[in-house]
Amino acid sequence: MRNQTQRLLNQVARPEVYEETLITSNGVPIALSIWKARPDDPCLVFLPATMTHPLFYEEFLDALALAGFNVVGVHFQNHGKSPRLKRLYSFDDMVQNARDAAGYARQRFGTPP
């Protein structure tokens, strides 16, 4: 469980299993939060509710990693840690963000999420 300082600084409780990366989706960068289990463990792609981001669910996603899942959390475009762009986005953009994150997960962990 994160302490108050970790929450304020947007840090995770177990940084040794957490990383972030940027991928391109719809021609714009989006951020992914990754909780690593073992390399051969299955992977899942986590889509947070709109108006939030994966770190809001950090304790749950970390628990999934402890249970043996690699987790890729999507920061939809213009949300969370994804760069802010002066561009409107649609539901179709969010679907494409999810598809691109699934493609990243498949390539990174070797099996379909």
Side-chain angles (χ1 to χ4, degrees), residues 22-73:
L22 291 174
I23 65 169
T24 300
S25 181
N26 293 320
V28 299
I30 64 168
L32 301 177
S33 288
I34 302 161
W35 284 265
K36 300 170 289 187
R38 293 181 309 262
D40 294 335
D41 285 341
C43 177
L44 61 90
V45 175
F46 180 78
L47 306 175
T50 57
M51 305 308 293
T52 189
H53 55 83
L55 290 171
F56 182 79
Y57 302 94
E58 188 262 338
E59 291 172 4
F60 171 67
L61 299 177
D62 186 56
L64 288 172
L66 284 169
F69 292 93
N70 292 294
V71 180
V72 175

Side-chain angles (χ1 to χ4, degrees), residues 3 13-14 20 25 42 52-53 100 103:
N3 63 36
R14 293 189 324 126
E20 296 171 349
S25 181
T52 189
H53 55 83
D100 292 333

Side-chain angles (χ1 to χ4, degrees), residues 82-95:
S82 290
R84 300 296 183 268
L85 305 171
K86 295 182 190 273
R87 169 183 161 179
L88 294 176
Y89 63 94
S90 67
F91 182 76
D92 290 337
D93 292 325
M94 294 173 69
V95 169

